[in-house]
Amino acid sequence: YEPPAFDSKCMTLTQCVFSEQKKVLSVNENLTQLLISIQTAVKAVSSAVQKAELTHMYDMDGSTNVQGEDVKKLDVLSNELFINTLTSSFKVHMMVSKKNDSMIEIETGKRGRYIVCFDPLDGSSNIDCLMPLGSIFGIFRKIHITDETNALQSGRHLVAAGYALYGSATMIVLTLGKGRGVHGFKLDPSIGEFMLTERNIKIPSKGNIYSINEGYSHLWDRYVREYMRRIKNPKDGEPYSARYVGSMVADVHRTLKYGGIFMYPATKHLPKGKLRLLYEGNPMAYIIEEAGGMASNGKIPLLDIQPIEIHQKTPVFLGSKDDVNELVKIYESF
Ligand code: P6P
């Protein structure tokens, strides 16, 4: 079954998702309501981020989160906005948030059929210096009675994934998978709608930008060091350029648009890497693969990993297919 191409005549994110749902009548997917709630959360977070300094939301709230990081007030607000809007959609059975130690149950009367794994405000260490921030989400259908296993589905079972980028504009990049492409929607604050601005985004098959925190180069595995040596001192062609914001959504969005490779490898002090599989690695991998790219933990595709713990970490190598493939081949040769 080849789903029809994305309906580019539609204008808003909600109209586009609704028209997509109408096409795939065989599966009574009802993501529209759920994605409306996510849009509401993103609009509210965007507003809070824009006004953070004016509303004294920059400073810490004095606690540390499950990741052991200092919690900023904006972190707390963003998490509550996502939890409350998703709960009030009546479409969510259970959630996993980066900011909550355990999974978030929904009261029985408000439960729906979807599982949402999200990072409500990624890159929050960059809040005070006005670097771009993001939100990341992945959506599964509920499959098991026992809740924990519902969240521990491999990325291949995602039914939708997306991110919001709070930068010079607020944007949602979304895919419903299954060949229906990756699409970009920019928030028009004057009407409060996300408008389709980039249809069927495809990542270049090869790029010339690498994105990694080189401060940890002495802690990388040999295959990563060898890959970096080759792209910085190529036998032929120009060396790659370095770009690293330190905010995953910003670094991945640039990689999606321009090509190249984003890497957060395992290091000696973080043997499983830093990024989390459920709400950072998998949603981004789902988007990148749908855009024609590749996402790996160095050995296997991220989407093939069978999760065993909701906050488990994974090394992340994603971007242009040729670039990620070259890294994986070096891993295999060691
Ligand atoms: P490092 C931000 O804190 C984050 O979780 C991701 O958004 C980003 O890619 C990564 O950590 C940056 O980590 O160790 O380079 O500062």
Side-chain angles (χ1 to χ4, degrees):
Y1 166 70
E2 278 300 311
F6 203 84
D7 172 6
S8 60
K9 289 189 292 297
C10 66
M11 293 289 286
T12 69
L13 191 157
T14 302
Q15 286 171 327
C16 292
V17 172
F18 195 65
S19 70
E20 279 305 299
Q21 306 269 190
K22 288 293 163 209
K23 286 179 198 163
V24 192
L25 296 177
S26 57
V27 178
N28 70 329
E29 211 68 88
N30 181 4
L31 287 167
T32 311
Q33 187 55 42
L34 177 52
L35 288 166
I36 286 171
S37 326
I38 290 177
Q39 289 176 72
T40 303
V42 169
K43 285 185 248 184
V45 171
S46 175
S47 169
V49 166
Q50 303 298 327
K51 288 183 288 195
E53 192 151 26
L54 300 172
T55 53
H56 310 296
M57 293 294 282
Y58 268 1
D59 43 6
M60 309 291 177
D61 81 343
S63 64
T64 52
N65 65 12
V66 294
Q67 322 294 345
E69 297 156 341
D70 287 336
V71 176
K72 305 216 171 200
K73 286 180 183 171
L74 213 45
D75 264 328
V76 174
L77 174 64
S78 308
N79 195 39
E80 286 169 2
L81 285 166
F82 267 82
I83 291 171
N84 296 341
T85 50
L86 286 170
T87 301
S88 55
S89 74
F90 288 80
K91 294 295 172 191
V92 180
H93 177 76
M94 180 269 283
M95 299 178 245
V96 170
S97 166
K98 179 175 183 178
K99 315 294 184 191
N100 290 61
D101 196 10
S102 51
M103 60 187 175
I104 302 157
E105 306 268 7
I106 304 287
E107 54 190 280
T108 314
K110 294 189 173 181
R111 284 182 182 172
R113 62 195 298 249
Y114 294 105
I115 308 295
V116 186
C117 302
F118 62 91
D119 181 357
L121 195 64
D122 187 79
S124 47
S125 53
N126 289 315
I127 290 176
D128 300 17
C129 62
L130 283 184
M131 285 291 111
L133 304 171
S135 303
I136 311 170
F137 58 90
I139 302 171
F140 295 99
R141 256 184 246 108
K142 172 180 172 304
I143 51 171
H144 292 293
I145 308 296
T146 55
D147 272 338
E148 187 77 16
T149 45
N150 264 308
L152 298 177
Q153 302 179 50
S154 83
R156 294 287 174 209
H157 294 95
L158 284 162
V159 293
Y163 58 79
L165 177 59
Y166 311 106
S168 48
T170 293
M171 172 165 215
I172 287 181
V173 170
L174 175 74
T175 184
L176 301 179
K178 302 181 185 65
R180 285 181 282 181
V182 175
H183 312 284
F185 302 85
K186 282 220 177 58
L187 178 62
D188 178 344
S190 65
I191 56 171
E193 286 285 4
F194 284 91
M195 308 307 288
L196 177 66
T197 51
E198 296 174 72
R199 180 174 170 277
N200 210 17
I201 304 170
K202 289 295 178 192
I203 188 169
S205 58
K206 187 167 177 56
N208 61 3
I209 297 171
Y210 72 86
S211 188
I212 190 169
N213 185 335
E214 292 200 70
Y216 301 142
S217 56
H218 60 296
L219 301 171
W220 296 337
D221 291 326
R222 284 177 54 223
Y223 73 96
V224 179
R225 291 206 299 275
E226 173 57 18
Y227 176 72
M228 290 295 288
R229 186 192 65 75
R230 293 188 193 181
I231 60 176
K232 295 170 89 170
N233 313 284
K235 289 198 193 72
D236 47 19
E238 294 298 310
Y240 277 36
S241 298
R243 293 285 185 278
Y244 192 70
V245 177
S247 190
M248 184 186 194
V249 173
D251 284 319
V252 171
H253 188 64
R254 184 203 52 252
T255 305
L256 174 66
K257 296 289 292 174
Y258 296 166
I261 186 167
F262 168 77
M263 298 171 273
Y264 206 108
T267 60
K268 289 185 178 55
H269 71 309
L270 290 170
K272 293 196 183 311
K274 172 182 183 183
L275 301 176
R276 311 287 169 159
L277 177 63
L278 261 60
Y279 39 76
E280 290 172 322
N282 269 345
M284 292 308 200
Y286 195 69
I287 292 164
I288 290 291
E289 282 203 8
E290 184 68 26
M294 186 172 168
S296 169
N297 65 359
K299 303 171 201 160
I300 64 170
L302 282 184
L303 296 178
D304 289 344
I305 297 174
Q306 177 51 55
I308 50 175
E309 196 277 311
I310 59 173
H311 292 299
Q312 77 182 62
K313 298 176 181 177
T314 177
V316 174
F317 303 93
L318 59 80
S320 296
K321 189 169 277 188
D322 293 357
D323 292 313
V324 178
N325 246 329
E326 187 174 342
L327 176 123
V328 172
K329 284 190 167 51
I330 294 173
Y331 169 80
E332 289 163 350
S333 68
F334 271 71

